[in-house]
Amino acid sequence: MSRLRAGTTAPPLPAADAAGAPLPPVPADGLTHLQFRRFAGCPICNLHLRGFAVRHPELRAAGVRELAAFHSPAGELRPYADGSPFPLLADPEQRLYRAYGVERGARALLDPRAWPSIALGVARSVPLVLRGRERPPASRPLGGRLGLPADFLLTPDGRIAAAHYGTHAADHWSVDQVLALAAEHRPSAATAARG
């Protein structure tokens, strides 16, 4: 798979989310943060997305449309989508993953830098699963457990403003990084810098 770089045209996004609802439009002069996660119920992904959910009003105020893709079928992803303030995309055939050059590999879980996030994610998820407040992940998730994360910031005209390919399961942009990149790459900010 070839990796995409800033300045290139982004592959098209699906028209609907995992629940079948149309994707919200990109805010005027806004950007889209597309993050590729692993599978529905992934403890690391749940922990990471929780931070984005809590700070979603900040992202919206900065003109960022948030989207998160999973290589799980819509049926497995829907229970998690119900509580999400932003759309979750189901990509069980991993067409979007291939189009964006998102990889998988044993380093996703074997890299020691991922271990603290794995421990925190499991520690957060297990009590919620035991209390019935969260569904456990599939015992054999479609696409496996070795997916690597990736992040893309997309302009309204469909170009990649910034890209990040994770080297392990917990290597992804934080909310603060997305906000900083959005401030740097918003179309109105770029026009003002040139003028």
Side-chain angles (χ1 to χ4, degrees), residues 117-187:
S117 291
I118 293 170
L120 283 170
V122 169
R124 178 201 163 275
S125 290
V126 168
L128 294 173
V129 168
L130 292 174
R131 283 183 260 165
R133 295 183 63 206
E134 191 173 280
R135 284 183 53 182
S139 58
R140 300 183 78 172
L142 187 66
R145 299 182 182 278
L146 301 180
L148 289 162
D151 293 274
F152 298 89
L153 194 63
L154 310 177
T155 63
D157 65 354
R159 301 193 72 68
I160 295 174
H164 173 76
Y165 290 89
T167 57
H168 56 79
D171 182 15
H172 39 237
W173 285 340
S174 68
V175 175
D176 288 332
Q177 287 171 300
V178 172
L179 291 170
L181 286 165
E184 181 182 335
H185 291 286
R186 279 187 67 182

